[in-house]
Amino acid sequence: MTEQNDIESILDELETRYEASVSCLRKALAEYAAKGTKPDPRKRDEGAFAYPELRIEYDPETPPPTPARAFARLNQPGIYTTSIARPALFRDYLREQLEHLVRDYWVEVTVGSSASEIPYPYVLDGGDLDLQGISTAELSRWFPSTDLVHIGDEVADGAWDLALDPMRPLALFDALRTDFSLARLKHYTGTPPEHFQRFVLFTNYVRYVDEFVRFAIGALRDPESRFTGLSVPGGIYDHGDLADAEAQIAAGVWRRHQMPAYHLMTPNGDGITLVNIGVGPSNAKTICDHIAVLRPEAWLMIGHCGGLRPSQTIGDYVLAHAYLRDDHVMDDVLPIEIPIPAIAEVQTALHQAALTVTGEDDEEIKTRLRTGTVVTTDDRNWELRYTLSALRFNQSRAVAIDMESATVAAQGYRFRVPYGTLLCVSDKPLHGELKLPGQANAFYERAISQHLRIGIETLDLLRQEGDGLHSRKLRSFDEPPLR
């Protein structure tokens, strides 16, 4: 049986096998580019380009234990496998998961070669390869490529079939799905996946980015801060490189990227990532699809909304405890009749953070913070269908409307990432207070700094929760063991 002191060598073997496959694939590409030499099919059959595979064999003689945590559980005997991409990037995550499993269960953990090969586009960076003049169609003929038939979310969506494969899935995402998303993350956000932190804020307005940058630079100037650097599209700033940093970042290359990301980093990755996802549920779904493979501890939506109640005023907060999903982008993968539950630990942390940052007590905060249902729509001009919209809002008892929150929450539910929403009322379209330029400027100045700091404080509270943050509400009856 595998022991705790075996785990580091298991992780070392994953990295060794992966690096050997990458090196072999790069060498074969270089030989093809220089001489037209095709890769040897026999070596491919032997796993020359293969991702490593992590395997856990579990055959208990007694009923399995029932640990209190929501993840790293083995509910059935069997062989659990998954291919692993970029094992060095995921080393800390894999160590944590294996430590739980090896401590609580009699298991045999081994490493081998998977049946999946590394697509050649994923090894081009850092390989110093000159492939000019060679078409992608030609390369795909002789080398493994990004064939979409092998990439999907069947495990996460509960669509995998044990009858078709006696091996049970060990993780939600295999190597092909992971590499696909890591490449997309760099494209969309302008920052490398290595810089993403395990606690994530999503926002839908660039002014939150400006405030986050100010906060991050202030934290880096503090010699007692736990943060060590700020990664932004186009560069990294550390303790000794902050002169005129705000102006440099504001004038930087972030405009080239659809959803720029900003990472306030710590040595162990438990810092804060802020992503400006822009407006709309399609962007919200897209970025969650890809960040999910990094297995973040939590993500929160902080942004603006329309207040739907006459008692609300501009600048008030809305803490979502339910969602009316009119975004439509998730309907095929997560039917709208599936409830998206509030996560108690996140709700409590958001409320406590609001008290801490505002300095108000429970009674005072109730006048500014409303808990209720948030509508997420895919129609920015829903006001033009006022009669139908008003009826639906009334039936749902909704207190706010936006275009991202339900999508982010549904994706958190789907991918087992704790989620939450705290919005700030920027207009009241049902009550004659439309978002106009003069009102908006005053509102932004007043609300954004405090709102962002509530989000940051919430993540700090959630960081202190540890394993208790991960709710069983997000786990099905037959889950892959790894979180």
Side-chain angles (χ1 to χ4, degrees), residues 34-102:
K35 306 175 185 177
T37 305
K38 301 178 183 66
D40 187 341
R42 290 173 300 177
K43 290 185 177 180
R44 289 185 64 177
D45 291 341
E46 294 169 359
F49 302 157
Y51 286 108
E53 179 180 84
L54 184 62
R55 173 185 292 230
I56 291 181
E57 296 184 50
Y58 178 53
D59 186 17
E61 296 181 359
T62 59
T66 56
R69 64 180 177 271
F71 61 94
R73 297 166 63 96
L74 294 168
N75 298 320
Q76 300 287 339
I79 299 175
Y80 297 78
T81 67
T82 190
S83 52
I84 302 292
R86 305 278 296 276
L89 175 61
F90 292 96
R91 187 178 183 107
D92 290 344
Y93 161 77
L94 292 170
R95 179 191 297 112
E96 177 194 42
Q97 304 301 299
L98 292 177
E99 284 176 349
H100 283 306
L101 290 167
V102 169

Side-chain angles (χ1 to χ4, degrees), residues 317-323 342-343 347 350 369-374 399 405 409 419-423:
Y317 296 118
V318 174
L319 173 56
H321 75 177
Y323 302 91
I343 307 300
Q347 300 296 97
L350 280 164
L369 188 151
R370 183 72 177 264
T371 301
T373 298
V374 171
V399 299
S405 292
Y419 51 86
T421 300
L422 184 71
L423 302 176

Side-chain angles (χ1 to χ4, degrees), residues 28 113 155 198 328 337 409 476:
S113 292
V155 175
R198 299 198 304 275
H328 301 299
E337 66 267 19
S476 72

